[in-house]
Amino acid sequence: MHWKTKALIQNLLSILPSQISYEVYYKVQRICGGLRRVNPIIGIKDGITIVRCIEGVEKSVDDKVFVEVGTGRTIIIPITLWLCGASRIITVDLNPYLKNELIQEELNFIRCNKDAVLKMFGNSVNQKQFNERFDTIVRGKLDINGFMKESQIEYIAPSDARKLHVCDKTIDYHISNNVFEHVPLEVMSQILSEGKRMLKDDGLMVHRIDFSDHFSHSDHRIPTINFLQYSEEQWLRYAGNRYMYHNRARIDEFEEIMENAGLKIIDKKLEIDQNAVRLIKSGLKLDKRFAGKPDEINSVLNDLVVATKV
Ligand SMILES: C[S@@+](CC[C@H](N)C(=O)[O-])C[C@H]1O[C@@H](n2cnc3c(N)ncnc32)[C@H](O)[C@@H]1O
């Protein structure tokens, strides 16, 4: 589907009253969008990448407490963290998007593709505990509520990650996956400050941001930096709705916000789209907000940032 057609549909659906709009949008995604076939592989990969980043700075996830910002429709990231040893995962979302039928389908997928999923994890530090937890999924005896209780995954929605009922300095890791690109920059800054309040002094922030134009995920005719060509006003006309809002912040702005929130970046895993770099060098005209930035900064596809409190 052409991205402008998709933008039009999203804009039309977003003017319906919230509850109806959410339900209709979900149905559309289930029938002809990204939720047609449930496949948790990407979510498991993202969860494992978060775990490996934590281990990469000599920390462990074993017996640790996580707060995840922006759950979305499923809990595949919390499930992955639990399998890897986390003791408690509080996952919060401003919107109650979670769907039990999707969680069920993801768990069924894991059951039916047991060997392939096991291979993704490799050997974990605590193999006995991992096997026991994996068996809980494979046996499939629990309903979703029972499973969430067993795995200590606490879903809180609607709940704003700018203000959570979690005590000071009680969590080990504050994480998010594909969330910060969707919130206004001042909100991002407030979420980080709240995260810092909850983090233990030796805790970590691990945030993954997708800097690409999300329309390019389904319309492969446009480049990942397509949206950088538009003025703020033009872009908001296409995507200034609850389904596609993207702040278009580049990695330099994101890092500045982290530093201003009193955080120190200690590691990052960047992916740069070389095709985007080539397009800019060959004359693609960017909006003035981006035109003065280095091509590589504008072309960052995604980043996983690990930060500590200063
Ligand atoms: C694109 S979804 C990402 C979902 C999931 N993390 C994933 O990787 O698929 C972004 C989520 O962030 C949530 N969100 C946005 N602002 C938030 C806030 N201030 N507090 C909590 N959640 C928020 C949205 O409701 C949405 O469900």
Side-chain angles (χ1 to χ4, degrees), residues 46 68-74 77 92-97 159-162 176-184 187 191 214:
D46 289 345
E68 183 196 27
V69 176
T71 321
R73 296 217 183 270
T74 77
I77 300 268
V92 304
D93 204 302
L94 195 57
N95 300 293
Y97 287 149
S159 177
D160 192 333
R162 286 180 288 181
S176 70
N177 191 48
N178 303 336
V179 173
F180 281 147
E181 66 268 31
H182 297 295
V183 299
V187 174
I191 293 175
H214 288 20

Side-chain angles (χ1 to χ4, degrees), residues 73-131:
R73 296 217 183 270
T74 77
I75 49 164
I76 196 62
I77 300 268
I79 291 174
T80 305
L81 298 173
W82 171 71
L83 282 171
C84 290
S87 61
R88 183 173 175 217
I89 306 107
I90 303 162
T91 180
V92 304
D93 204 302
L94 195 57
N95 300 293
Y97 287 149
L98 197 67
K99 290 282 178 196
N100 278 3
E101 63 176 19
L102 295 181
I103 303 175
Q104 200 58 62
E105 284 176 42
E106 289 191 326
L107 292 173
N108 286 342
F109 180 99
I110 296 175
R111 266 172 225 130
C112 298
N113 298 276
K114 197 173 145 224
D115 293 338
V117 173
L118 271 176
K119 221 167 150 188
M120 293 175 71
F121 285 89
N123 284 334
S124 89
V125 184
N126 187 341
Q127 199 61 40
K128 185 169 171 282
Q129 177 183 269
F130 177 89
N131 290 341

Side-chain angles (χ1 to χ4, degrees), residues 42 45-47 49-50 77 174-181 205-211 254 269 271 301-306:
I42 293 177
K45 254 193 213 150
D46 289 345
T49 306
I50 290 172
I77 300 268
H174 183 259
I175 65 157
S176 70
N177 191 48
N178 303 336
V179 173
F180 281 147
E181 66 268 31
M205 296 242 167
V206 185
H207 294 289
R208 184 172 181 281
I209 302 121
D210 182 345
F211 291 97
F254 176 69
K269 304 254 173 300
E271 199 184 337
L301 209 49
N302 55 63
D303 185 20
L304 209 154
V305 183
V306 183

Side-chain angles (χ1 to χ4, degrees), residues 17 60 72 100 141 152 160 177 187 196-198 239 256 258:
S60 158
N100 278 3
K141 295 238 168 77
Q152 295 280 313
D160 192 333
N177 191 48
V187 174
K196 193 179 165 208
R197 177 191 69 74
M198 297 180 290
E256 196 183 325
M258 285 202 99

